[in-house]
Amino acid sequence: MEDRSNQEQSTKIEGGEAAVIQLSRVSSLEKAGGLWCSLRPFYEGCIHFMLFVCASISILVTVGIVVVLLYESVQFFYDVPILEFLTGTRWSPLLKPQHFGILPLLCGTMLVAGGSAIVAVPIGLGTAIYLSEYASPRFRDIVKPMLEILAGIPSVVFGYLAIVFVSPIIREIFPSAGVFNAASACIVVGIMILPMIISLSEDILQSVPLSLRAAAFALGANKFEVTVRVIVPAALSGIMASFLLAISRAIGETMAVTLAAGATPKLTLNPLESIQTMTAYIVQVSQGDTPTGTLEYRTIFAVGLALFITTMVMNVIAQYILSRVGERYE
Amino acid sequence: MASTPSVKKHMQSSDKTTSDHSKSPIVRPSIPEGKSMRTADELAQATEKISVTDLSFYYSENRALTDISLSIPERCVTAFIGPSGCGKSTFLRCFNRMNDMIEGTRVEGEILLEGQNIYSPRTDIVSLRKRIGMVFQKSTPFPKSIFDNVSFGPKIAGIRRKKDLFEIVERSLQRSALWDEVKDRLSESALNLSGGQQQRLCIARALANDPDILLMDEPASALDPASTARIEDLIFELKEQYTIVIVTHNMQQAARVSDQAAFFYQGLLVESGATEELFTNPRKQQTEDYITGRFG
Amino acid sequence: MSSKPDIYTTKRRGRITNMLFTSACFLATMTCIFLLVLLIWNIIIQGKGWLSWEFIERLPSRFPDKAGIKTALWGSIWLISLTAMFSVPLGVGAALYLEEYAPRSRWRKLIQLNIANLAGVPSIVYGILGLGLFVRALQLERSVLSGALTLTLVVLPIIILASQEALRAVPDSIRRSAYALGATRWQTVWYQVLPASLPGIMTGVILSLSRALGEAAPLIAVGAMAYVPFVPERLTDEFTALPIQIFIWTSRPQEDFHHLAAAGILVLLVVLVSMNAIAIFVRHKYGKKIRW
């Protein structure tokens, strides 16, 4: 033992000397020695710049979307007056005589979005409340991965299900319904946006502080009263934001709607009829061999612009609400 | 309340994890033999390592430190004491410019390290931080192996040879009195160490850079008494080679380990001097009130 | 009896509403699970008879019993590999800039808001962008490269957001310690922050790529072909992808093609579920080891 500590003492002294030597070597703070040291700020600067470029690409993408959409749309609006585009009630750009009124497409889109919200909102909110307030941790651990799987199922699969599974059932109940109908699209899109509503709303419900629950229970409220009178109202704006995001997702939903809802632009609110949405129209034109630079080709940019603006506005509102919710409890 | 050697003896022998592997199972008193507190005369003779002149520090518009002047002698332990929020930690972080990371901070006045201004625009922060090591209040091992933790500093300084790195790791761990406890498991995750071991690992990690100054921001406040005692012993050993500046809110600790003490209150340096004098014979009423526990 | 209520009895009405509400919420949850099981069960029933090794190896065909998904599968593999190559460095780089480098300024806030909104832009809009930018402006034509670049734009915001979350989970004390040891910003990021956040980033990347694998809409917009009788060999080759093949088969009226579509969906779902499983595995295995 004595030996070892002696040994250590000697290493320590050696170390001390090394330290002294090192000191004299680097006594200046403006370290001059070594190529690496003089290159270091340059190297660091390069990396900083490269990462900055990566982050800026997101801005470029937004600019790119706007520029591409506007560039072709402006040329489209040379030929079709913007008023006619926004107020016309017939949409038939691919057939003579051509009509360029976007209202039927908009109507179809809103029909699907509204219908899917009617399907998804009650189930989604109920599930979110159950998972957040009632479910045991073990039950949550089982259900949440299942919801993740549901969220991960691609949209084209839901299109398949609408045609092969949902639509026959609807025709069984309502014999007047066509093979392609808005109702089957509403149902599958509703199922698609369910996981989104559930996970967002559940996060919001969970962020309601425990103290609020405790206070309500302390006043003698039962679980139902606490949930419905205290927690849900406290989380209401956030829940609304999650609905907005989900509806915006439904508006942008493409493959399922293209397959299920058909390709006949119609100004109708009857869910049993075949309709066409903005997204489905874009797919329809993309699939064909429309030559570049024609009026028909440009319609997809004009419709794309309308779609982009609609979803963007809803997203911005939702983000704004969510950012305010975040601040409130911090 | 003062922790006497006998109290410490009891605590250390009850610390099973460390006593088994400890390099000296015989318990040392809190002041190791042959190493004593520097006297006022010795302090006066010691070379000046860091000199602070009229330093003021601002968080955006709020002044956190006002006109502080202080001299820190070489190879001594200087303790900063004072109630929480008095600016002692902020002051400590000025020495290695850790405050630069906080946006909107501003420094006036100067800190000279062996005559060179730390806040000169020509100062290279990286080489500054290699010369001035720092240990934080909460031990912060990287989520990597013990070896990787200690060798991180030398590695980023450009030392690549495994043999050199191993030498440095061994030396640093020996100096921080951790070598014997971990020498057989250098490749294990550092997160498996106990709290006190983690803190000594952080000290070893700082020593691996071969600094000449060691800043310690309440290094023992999150530790149990036995681990605290080990850290304090370590500080005594380290001051033979390093200049140590320690922030503590524990006055007994300051009295035990430091040679010089400085009392801060509301961003002002109220009084500084040899620890013995400051604690036994404070010149200012505020200092006396704090030391005797009347506020703080 | 005193007028004060007895602590052992509840108001009957309150108890009933409470029970009804709880059951309604539970029913909603069970509906979700039931739907998932029903949908997947339906696909399995429809597709299992058609799923075989030949189905995976055969080229596409007009005749249902000779059709296979070889070109579609290879097209998807090409797309996903290229997309990963483009989107992961870009996405992680952008996340690093935003979390580790950017000062908390208006500019950073703007980028952040922009990314959150890009994540909500419908994928078909990215398809139109890809059509205007890659296919037409950059003259890349209807190639695998155009498709992969378009998918990169689709998943980029998702990868950035997931990586940012992973980076934010690394405690600041790690960064402080590295800086205090004289590490530069990049050394801190490269040696400490990135390794510590890698499991989280990996999880996000895998989930985003599985999203890219299921996307059909943007690929149709940039002009993926319905019928491609060969496997792509160069970046400029025409291509098809698994979701597109499924879409084509589903839109045929004949029953047999629907079975083919179901078999294709089964292949796609198996790949997606395995990717999800890997992500969950990574999250649990490496996420738990680090306790701060």
Side-chain angles (χ1 to χ4, degrees), chain C residues 229-240:
Chain C
F230 55 85
V231 171
E233 279 166 1
R234 284 184 305 270
L235 289 178
T236 50
D237 282 346
E238 290 177 341
F239 69 102
T240 187

Side-chain angles (χ1 to χ4, degrees), chain A residues 44 47 52 58 62 130 160 165, chain C residues 26 42 97 114 120 184 186 262:
Chain A
E44 286 282 323
I47 286 173
F52 174 76
S58 77
T62 311
Y130 188 78
Y160 166 86
F165 186 56
Chain C
F26 180 70
N42 188 20
Y97 178 78
N114 182 47
T184 61
W186 177 243

Side-chain angles (χ1 to χ4, degrees), chain B residues 162-180:
Chain B
K162 197 87 180 169
K163 189 168 153 279
D164 296 345
L165 284 177
F166 188 82
E167 250 169 47
I168 293 172
V169 169
E170 180 175 353
R171 197 174 61 205
S172 310
L173 285 171
Q174 269 171 352
R175 280 189 204 163
S176 67
L178 193 61
W179 175 248
D180 292 290

Side-chain angles (χ1 to χ4, degrees), chain B:
Chain B
M1 226 336 254
S3 151
T4 58
S6 66
V7 172
K8 200 167 261 183
K9 188 182 212 164
H10 171 72
M11 285 188 298
Q12 214 170 42
S13 55
S14 70
D15 184 2
K16 274 183 199 150
T17 50
T18 49
S19 62
D20 290 349
H21 305 283
S22 170
K23 64 175 180 170
S24 49
I26 310 133
V27 175
R28 290 184 302 269
S30 79
I31 297 177
E33 268 174 60
K35 288 156 191 159
S36 61
M37 201 180 265
R38 308 252 197 278
T39 61
D41 289 346
E42 274 177 319
L43 266 177
Q45 281 163 12
T47 13
E48 185 182 66
K49 189 76 186 174
I50 300 177
S51 122
V52 185
T53 335
D54 294 333
L55 186 95
S56 294
F57 184 84
Y58 301 84
Y59 288 107
S60 56
E61 287 314 304
N62 304 324
R63 184 148 69 175
L65 296 171
T66 312
D67 291 335
I68 292 176
S69 298
L70 182 69
S71 166
I72 290 173
E74 191 169 25
R75 301 191 188 204
C76 295
V77 179
T78 303
F80 295 168
I81 55 174
S84 36
C86 68
K88 54 194 194 301
S89 286
T90 306
F91 186 47
L92 187 77
R93 286 197 302 266
C94 284
F95 290 121
N96 65 345
R97 292 185 62 169
M98 283 305 273
N99 288 325
D100 290 15
M101 287 167 70
I102 306 164
E103 273 169 50
T105 55
R106 193 157 49 87
V107 176
E108 281 169 12
E110 59 179 18
I111 301 180
L112 298 180
L113 170 61
E114 291 177 347
Q116 294 171 327
N117 188 1
I118 285 176
Y119 281 92
S120 147
R122 290 181 304 168
T123 304
D124 181 50
I125 297 187
V126 169
S127 25
L128 171 74
R129 289 184 184 152
K130 286 196 170 133
R131 281 186 65 187
I132 304 184
M134 185 162 193
V135 178
F136 296 90
Q137 175 174 11
K138 201 170 154 278
S139 60
T140 53
F142 300 130
K144 296 187 162 188
S145 73
I146 295 169
F147 184 86
D148 285 343
N149 261 282
V150 182
S151 64
F152 177 69
K155 227 186 232 164
I156 58 171
I159 298 175
R160 293 269 176 255
R161 275 175 52 198
K162 197 87 180 169
K163 189 168 153 279
D164 296 345
L165 284 177
F166 188 82
E167 250 169 47
I168 293 172
V169 169
E170 180 175 353
R171 197 174 61 205
S172 310
L173 285 171
Q174 269 171 352
R175 280 189 204 163
S176 67
L178 193 61
W179 175 248
D180 292 290
E181 290 159 54
V182 301
K183 64 183 172 193
D184 301 322
R185 44 183 186 140
L186 289 177
S187 56
E188 263 179 47
S189 170
L191 297 171
N192 295 339
L193 297 175
S194 72
Q197 287 174 324
Q198 285 188 3
Q199 194 59 293
R200 275 179 287 149
L201 179 76
C202 291
I203 294 174
R205 196 169 66 181
L207 295 182
N209 266 341
D210 245 333
D212 29 340
I213 298 161
L214 210 52
L215 308 176
M216 296 181 159
D217 191 352
E218 306 202 11
S221 67
L223 301 179
D224 59 287
S227 305
T228 304
R230 291 201 63 125
I231 299 278
E232 286 176 9
D233 289 351
L234 186 57
I235 291 172
F236 262 103
E237 292 192 8
L238 290 173
K239 81 171 179 191
E240 299 302 317
Q241 283 172 45
Y242 304 94
T243 305
I244 295 173
V245 184
I246 178 171
V247 163
T248 176
H249 62 234
N250 177 337
M251 267 170 303
Q252 280 77 33
Q253 186 172 61
R256 282 195 300 267
V257 301
S258 70
D259 305 307
Q260 178 186 258
F263 171 63
F264 290 80
Y265 185 60
Q266 292 184 341
L268 291 162
L269 173 59
V270 177
E271 184 174 353
S272 70
T275 304
E276 266 179 299
E277 267 182 41
L278 189 100
F279 275 81
T280 52
N281 191 14
R283 289 188 301 261
K284 298 267 174 65
Q285 186 62 40
Q286 274 173 322
T287 319
E288 194 181 332
D289 287 352
Y290 182 69
I291 289 169
T292 51
R294 242 169 270 167
F295 81 94

Side-chain angles (χ1 to χ4, degrees), chain C residues 52-64:
Chain C
S52 64
W53 188 245
E54 287 85 55
F55 175 69
I56 291 170
E57 272 193 330
R58 274 196 302 247
L59 296 173
S61 164
R62 280 185 298 127
F63 306 103

Side-chain angles (χ1 to χ4, degrees), chain A residues 16-319:
Chain A
E17 276 167 1
V20 171
I21 293 163
Q22 181 111 9
L23 277 191
S24 56
R25 191 157 57 76
V26 290
S27 65
S28 166
L29 283 180
E30 314 148 32
K31 196 164 175 179
L35 183 66
W36 170 241
C37 288
S38 54
L39 277 179
R40 197 179 55 211
F42 175 71
Y43 175 74
E44 286 282 323
C46 282
I47 286 173
H48 191 144
F49 179 73
M50 272 160 49
L51 295 177
F52 174 76
V53 170
C54 289
S56 308
I57 281 181
S58 77
I59 297 281
L60 286 182
V61 171
T62 311
V63 173
I65 292 176
V66 172
V67 166
V68 166
L69 289 177
L70 276 182
Y71 176 75
E72 299 278 353
S73 299
V74 164
Q75 298 187 31
F76 173 78
F77 289 125
Y78 273 129
D79 297 320
V80 179
I82 200 160
L83 200 68
E84 186 192 327
F85 179 70
L86 289 179
T87 57
T89 53
R90 288 185 66 189
W91 178 264
S92 56
L94 305 178
L95 303 164
K96 306 273 177 195
Q98 290 174 311
H99 291 281
F100 298 98
I102 201 177
L103 282 184
L105 292 185
L106 210 58
C107 172
T109 303
M110 290 308 158
L111 181 60
V112 171
S116 59
I118 290 173
V119 173
V121 163
I123 303 179
L125 188 55
T127 308
I129 290 175
Y130 188 78
L131 288 180
S132 165
E133 306 298 320
Y134 291 93
S136 68
R138 255 183 79 194
F139 187 74
R140 283 166 53 101
D141 282 351
I142 298 167
V143 174
K144 294 207 94 180
M146 294 181 88
L147 290 174
E148 274 178 45
I149 291 178
L150 193 61
I153 294 179
S155 131
V156 68
V157 176
F158 283 100
Y160 166 86
L161 289 165
I163 286 193
V164 175
F165 186 56
V166 180
S167 181
I169 295 176
I170 288 179
R171 295 184 69 192
E172 194 92 342
I173 304 171
F174 305 100
S176 64
V179 179
F180 302 109
N181 55 58
S184 58
C186 290
I187 291 172
V188 289
V189 173
I191 299 173
M192 272 187 83
I193 60 175
L194 255 182
M196 194 172 177
I197 292 184
I198 296 170
S199 74
L200 282 173
S201 304
E202 201 215 332
D203 281 352
I204 302 281
L205 287 171
Q206 294 263 306
S207 75
V208 175
L210 213 61
S211 54
L212 211 58
R213 290 157 218 256
F217 276 121
L219 290 173
N222 66 20
K223 186 107 187 171
F224 167 73
E225 287 161 339
V226 171
T227 307
V228 175
R229 301 252 168 86
V230 178
I231 295 171
V232 173
L236 198 63
S237 56
I239 291 174
M240 286 301 162
S242 81
F243 292 166
L244 266 185
L245 284 176
I247 291 172
S248 144
R249 169 96 191 273
I251 289 175
E253 177 36 51
T254 309
M255 300 317 289
V257 176
T258 308
L259 282 166
T264 43
K266 231 180 272 170
L267 203 57
T268 175
L269 287 176
N270 181 357
L272 299 178
E273 281 188 66
S274 162
I275 49 134
Q276 188 168 39
T277 64
M278 296 195 275
T279 50
Y281 173 73
I282 297 171
V283 171
Q284 187 193 1
V285 176
S286 303
Q287 270 187 293
D289 290 320
T290 317
T292 320
T294 60
L295 195 57
E296 291 86 343
Y297 170 76
R298 291 198 178 115
T299 52
I300 62 172
F301 291 89
V303 173
L305 186 65
L307 179 65
F308 178 67
I309 291 173
T310 322
T311 51
M312 197 68 167
V313 167
M314 296 184 80
N315 287 342
V316 167
I317 295 173
Q319 295 290 348

